[in-house]
Amino acid sequence: MQKKILLVEDEKNIARFIELELKHEQFDVFVTHDGREGLNIALEQPFDCLLLDVMLPGLNGIEICRRVRTQSDVPILLITARDAVMDRVAGLDAGADDYIVKPFAIEELLARIRSVLRRVNTNVEEDYDLIKVRDIIINPQSYEVSFENKKLELTKTEYDLLKLLCENKNRVCEREMILQSVWGYKTEVETNVVDVYIRHLRAKLKTELAPYIETVRGVGYVVRE
């Protein structure tokens, strides 16, 4: 599927040149030359990337960026003729992902567009791999766990146990199954060690709402959504 790009550039010759190059690279390009119109289009239609000139009639690119950021995480790349540090800082503080200074080689612009699009795709893939149950978020790639937006410090065994329960959310995990999955098939650990570690986890997952880990008497434990 073609990536859809909005280009807001008031210099029509430059806009036409960029448009042709982007279309040659198989991007679907929508062009406007006015800042306010660009903002309206950006907020009304879905785009994969916004290219905003900083100096625009009606509304400058930094202000467009700032307003779009209140409603969207779409990648934004600023195009500016001014290379002053404060201008670049203002753009990045407004929420821009990157910037490029005129005059630029079209190859550099294309590379920067591909870079911000890759970052978005990577974030989506990483988010897809996360294990989430209410306010628990487990990242299997980094072995990190957050609880109520704070990092949760766990031992390796506690982590493995919580991950197992969350991967099987709404499904009762029997003690024997937990023991074999977390401690290994050849373990000589008694099943009551599972109860001990469940207590450890419950202490770290304190909440005023329904508890995260429920006991199913005579069977095992379950984490419910």
Side-chain angles (χ1 to χ4, degrees), residues 91-136:
L92 296 173
D93 282 346
D97 296 275
D98 202 352
Y99 64 90
I100 190 167
V101 179
K102 298 177 182 176
F104 52 81
I106 192 64
E107 291 80 6
E108 181 183 2
L109 176 62
L110 293 171
R112 289 179 182 273
I113 292 171
R114 288 193 294 265
S115 177
V116 296
L117 290 176
R118 272 198 307 271
R119 288 204 293 269
V120 171
N121 290 336
T122 298
N123 289 339
V124 169
E125 290 169 3
E126 289 178 351
D127 186 63
Y128 181 77
D129 288 336
L130 298 179
I131 301 167
K132 301 178 181 180
V133 179
R134 287 161 57 189
D135 288 326
I136 299 173

Side-chain angles (χ1 to χ4, degrees), residues 5-20:
I5 293 180
L6 172 64
L7 170 62
V8 189
E9 167 62 70
D10 65 322
E11 294 186 50
K12 295 184 179 180
N13 289 338
I14 294 177
R16 181 58 176 163
F17 171 68
I18 295 174
E19 178 186 12
L20 291 174

